Amino acid sequence: MTEKTLEIITLLKNHKWISGEEIAKSLHISRTMVWKHIQQLKKKGYQITATPNKGYHLDQSPIMVTTEEIKQELKTSLLGLKIYHLSVVDSTNNYAKILAKNNEKEGTIIIADKQTGGRGRKQRAWVSQKGGLWFSVLFRPSIPPTKAMQVTMCAACAIAEAIEKQTPCSPSIKWPNDILINKKKVCGILTELSAELDSINYLIMGIGLNVNNQLPKSLQSIATSIQEETDSTQPLVPLFISIITCLERFYAALVKNDFSTIRDTWVHYSSTLGEIVNVKTEKEEITGKAIGLAENGELLLRTKHGEKKIITGDITYL
Ligand code: BT5
């Protein structure tokens, strides 16, 4: 996309209607050139109405993200300074891992329109058709591996806050890594780590958010999308920008050793605390009341046999 095309997108976004003449004047190009740029935008998926006397109106941005539009609107100083946008990939986490091993800098983001081998935790499949936000962020945090979970919590807080800001939905966080809307999963986070005993080489944070994508029947009782919840198509770029902007703020707090901001936000959005839950871990299945978070984000359960600290597991609300 050329700079002029990007300027036209900005003009269209800032005006309800704008005439070809006004665009031409503002960009110092001919009206024929304006028309050509508009045709290019339409080919890229921008839905634009042209009406005599009124001019052009942007009905809808493309269903997929465009890196140019992201770059134009993202005002972060660490995350997303470099973005790889792929139309299809097995898993953005796999791609990010290869980049990380090749010394890619912290903050780089890999985003894909579609994943053919999207993964959840424990190699579970993550359905990632076109229309959703599937991306990974590369971090190189100077924190011990035991605190890695705090980075996942930053992401959960950022996603919940962004959904609340950008949509009419009320998201909640289900420990450890799910974002729910109306009790159904709308987003999952997969954090993968390469670490030594006391330091992290790199941390890949994979985020999968159902936005305008269709979900298979098999998932419909447990999963939802923003489109389904709002009955309307949601533009991907503003949501993405909002997530990254919030994530950068929470991550900056974490790096400064200010975990309390993250913890407070997490607790604010939590649908887990106070609930009676069943937790399945690798070793056991425990039932108890979720009474709080421990120092590094572990779940504290009050059980028949006393208090237990759960590092990771799958929970069900009883
Ligand atoms: C997660 O795992 O929730 C982490 C999902 C992370 C996906 C992102 S997308 C970008 C990046 N690249 C990747 O390859 N992965 C990351 P877990 O808690 O294990 O949940 C997995 C379970 O969620 C599955 O077993 C299904 O039951 C369910 N599921 C699968 N696809 C889903 C979807 N699109 N929406 C909601 N639930 C889904």
Side-chain angles (χ1 to χ4, degrees):
M1 226 185 271
T2 66
E3 212 153 278
K4 296 280 183 215
T5 325
L6 284 173
E7 285 179 48
I8 294 179
I9 298 174
T10 310
L11 284 173
L12 288 170
K13 282 187 178 166
N14 292 340
H15 295 79
K16 201 158 182 232
W17 289 94
I18 183 162
S19 69
E21 198 176 331
E22 281 173 281
I23 299 178
K25 249 193 203 164
S26 161
L27 266 60
H28 306 290
I29 55 175
S30 67
R31 285 183 63 177
T32 317
M33 277 314 288
V34 172
W35 184 84
K36 281 190 179 159
H37 284 298
I38 296 278
Q39 300 317 306
Q40 266 178 21
L41 285 172
K42 282 185 174 173
K43 269 192 203 149
K44 288 214 166 240
Y46 287 85
Q47 290 174 27
I48 299 166
T49 305
T51 307
N53 302 327
K54 280 180 156 179
Y56 295 107
H57 170 74
L58 178 63
D59 302 327
Q60 204 172 300
S61 289
I63 214 83
M64 292 330 142
V65 298
T66 60
T67 321
E68 294 86 352
E69 208 180 336
I70 293 172
K71 280 190 183 147
Q72 202 184 27
E73 299 194 13
L74 194 62
K75 304 281 182 274
T76 45
S77 51
L78 174 70
L79 305 187
L81 297 187
K82 194 161 170 193
I83 296 177
Y84 293 82
H85 178 201
L86 313 162
S87 57
V88 59
V89 69
D90 56 347
S91 151
T92 54
N93 267 34
N94 292 352
Y95 200 93
K97 232 179 263 177
I98 296 168
L99 291 176
K101 283 182 190 160
N102 284 297
N103 298 322
E104 186 71 39
K105 280 193 189 147
E106 179 172 58
T108 293
I109 295 177
I110 299 88
I111 183 162
D113 295 339
K114 179 178 155 183
Q115 297 184 116
T116 51
R119 289 184 283 112
R121 293 173 301 151
K122 299 183 203 149
Q123 302 300 322
R124 290 188 279 228
W126 182 260
V127 176
S128 348
Q129 310 290 355
K130 278 186 181 177
L133 277 174
W134 326 119
F135 64 96
S136 301
V137 188
L138 167 61
F139 289 99
R140 296 190 185 275
S142 302
I143 56 172
T146 45
K147 292 198 169 176
M149 196 169 170
Q150 295 183 355
V151 190
T152 308
M153 288 173 71
C154 287
C157 292
I159 296 155
E161 209 175 283
I163 292 176
E164 193 166 74
K165 278 187 183 160
Q166 298 294 326
T167 76
C169 303
S170 300
S172 67
I173 303 174
K174 181 178 170 199
W175 188 88
N177 68 337
D178 293 353
I179 312 297
L180 312 182
I181 298 177
N182 287 327
K183 300 191 178 154
K184 287 182 173 178
K185 182 160 170 169
V186 71
C187 177
I189 304 164
L190 175 68
T191 305
E192 294 182 298
L193 208 61
S194 158
E196 308 295 321
L197 262 183
D198 54 356
S199 66
I200 294 175
N201 299 325
Y202 62 81
L203 181 153
I204 310 282
M205 173 167 312
I207 295 175
L209 174 60
N210 300 320
V211 187
N212 305 313
N213 52 304
Q214 295 299 313
L215 289 162
K217 270 220 169 85
S218 57
L219 286 179
Q220 281 172 6
S221 61
I222 56 159
T224 191
S225 68
I226 306 270
Q227 185 181 48
E228 200 173 307
E229 294 296 321
T230 58
D231 255 342
S232 62
T233 309
Q234 191 71 32
L236 293 183
V237 173
L239 245 180
F240 177 77
I241 301 272
S242 191
I243 294 173
I244 300 304
T245 309
C246 294
L247 183 55
E248 177 159 295
R249 180 163 41 82
F250 287 120
Y251 183 63
L254 183 78
V255 169
K256 275 193 233 144
N257 233 338
D258 167 19
F259 182 53
S260 62
T261 307
I262 299 148
R263 188 198 183 90
D264 291 351
T265 311
W266 195 95
V267 169
H268 168 75
Y269 285 111
S270 168
S271 63
T272 304
L273 299 185
E275 292 290 316
I276 308 289
V277 298
N278 181 268
V279 189
K280 268 192 198 146
T281 70
E282 296 268 289
K283 288 185 247 146
E284 54 185 344
E285 205 172 317
I286 319 162
T287 299
K289 183 171 183 178
I291 53 167
L293 282 182
E295 199 194 343
N296 294 320
E298 304 93 335
L299 187 66
L300 289 177
L301 270 195
R302 188 188 297 137
T303 74
K304 268 195 229 158
H305 312 289
E307 222 170 83
K308 286 230 169 194
K309 192 155 83 172
I310 316 286
I311 297 171
T312 183
D314 290 306
I315 65 169
T316 321
Y317 296 145
L318 296 179

